[in-house]
Amino acid sequence: MATLALADDALVLSHRLGEWAGHAPVLEEEVALANIALDLLGQARVLYAELGDEDELAYLREERAFRNCQLAEQPNGDFARTIARQLLFSTYQELLYARLAEHGHPLAAKAVSEVAYHRDHAEHWTLRLGDGTRESHARMQSAVDGLWRFTGELFQPVEGLDVELSALERAWQERIASTLDAATLTVPEGPRTGAWTAGAGRQGVHTESFGRMLAEMQHLHRSHPGTSW
C-alpha cells in the first residue's frame, strides 16, 4: 500500500506539472517545471516496477484504484497555486524520503536530493511572489489558503509506511511556517483535517477534477492497447 501510494503521488503530480508545457510564464520556468515532472515520473516508474507492470499500473487502473493524496491531484490553477501546491507537497516529500533513506529505502536515498531541489524551487518562488507586488502577494496567499485543507491527509497512517508521522508533521509545519513568514504570508487558520479525510485519496476517493485528468492521461494507451513505439 505504501509503495503504491508514493508511486501514485509522484505520477499524478508529474502529470499536473507536465500540463504547464507550452504555458509557463517564462522559458526558464518551462524547463524547470518539466525537469521536476520528469524527476517525479522517474520516481513513479521505480516504485511501480516493485509492484508489477508500470504501464498497467499507470494507464489501466480505474480512478478508485489510485492511492495518491488529494493534494497532488489538485488542478494547476494560476502559477501561484502551482507553486503553493509544490511547496506543501515537496516539503512533505523531502522530509519523508529523508526518514525512509535512514531506514535503507533504495529509492529514497537517491530521490531525496531531487526532492530537495523541488522544495528549493518552490520556496524561491513562494518568497518571490509572497514578498513581491500586491497582486502576487494576494494570489500566493489565496493559493495557500485554498490548498491548506488538503494537507492533513499527508500525515494520516498508510499501511506499510514505517515513519513516525507525528514527528514528520511537526517538522513540516515548522518549515512551512518559516517559509510563509519569510514570504510575508500568513499560515492559514482553517482546519487541515475534517470529514473529507475519512474518504480521502489514500482510500481511493478523489476530487472531481481527478477523473478528467486521469481520462486525459490514460487516453492514448487505452485507445491503442498493446501498441509498441
Side-chain angles (χ1 to χ4, degrees):
M1 172 59 179
T3 300
L4 184 62
L6 296 179
D8 287 347
D9 283 347
L11 176 69
V12 169
L13 186 54
S14 172
H15 185 83
R16 280 300 191 205
L17 291 171
E19 291 174 344
W20 274 104
H23 302 284
V26 293
L27 181 59
E28 181 180 9
E29 206 48 37
E30 181 117 346
V31 174
L33 292 175
N35 282 335
I36 294 172
L38 287 172
D39 285 345
L40 291 167
L41 182 60
Q43 294 171 19
R45 293 190 63 184
V46 170
L47 291 165
Y48 284 142
E50 295 181 18
L51 301 171
D53 184 277
E54 60 189 76
D55 286 340
E56 288 186 7
L57 289 165
Y59 300 125
L60 297 179
R61 281 184 297 154
E62 300 297 330
E63 178 178 335
R64 290 298 296 266
F66 277 80
R67 293 296 183 264
N68 60 280
C69 63
Q70 291 184 349
L71 176 63
E73 71 195 39
Q74 294 309 299
N76 290 326
D78 62 14
F79 187 63
R81 185 175 174 88
T82 291
I83 292 301
R85 183 188 62 201
Q86 195 64 39
L87 175 71
L88 298 171
F89 180 81
S90 62
T91 301
Y92 153 78
Q93 195 181 37
E94 182 186 10
L95 290 167
L96 175 63
Y97 278 179
R99 282 159 173 75
L100 291 176
E102 293 172 358
H103 291 83
H105 192 287
L107 170 67
K110 175 181 181 296
V112 70
S113 60
E114 293 178 344
V115 177
Y117 164 73
H118 303 172
R119 187 263 309 149
D120 184 69
H121 175 268
E123 283 188 355
H124 165 79
W125 274 106
T126 299
L127 295 170
R128 187 172 177 181
L129 295 173
D131 198 25
T133 66
R134 180 180 299 179
E135 177 71 14
S136 69
H137 176 90
R139 285 177 178 265
M140 198 66 212
Q141 185 67 63
S142 177
V144 174
D145 291 344
L147 293 169
W148 195 247
R149 69 189 182 95
F150 296 106
T151 60
E153 181 185 13
L154 300 175
F155 306 101
Q156 298 297 312
V158 178
E159 182 182 349
L161 191 62
D162 187 20
V163 174
E164 187 183 348
L165 293 172
S166 59
L168 190 75
E169 184 171 15
R170 287 194 300 273
W172 180 89
Q173 288 176 319
E174 290 173 1
R175 285 199 182 185
I176 294 297
S178 177
T179 300
L180 295 182
D181 182 64
T184 69
L185 297 166
T186 303
V187 175
E189 296 181 356
R192 294 177 44 248
T193 57
W196 63 272
T197 56
R202 298 294 191 218
Q203 285 74 47
V205 176
H206 299 281
T207 52
E208 183 178 356
S209 62
F210 181 68
R212 295 191 295 271
M213 190 216 80
L214 194 63
E216 178 184 86
M217 187 179 77
Q218 296 181 338
H219 174 73
L220 184 63
H221 189 91
R222 288 178 178 268
S223 297
H224 303 280
T227 299
S228 60
W229 304 93

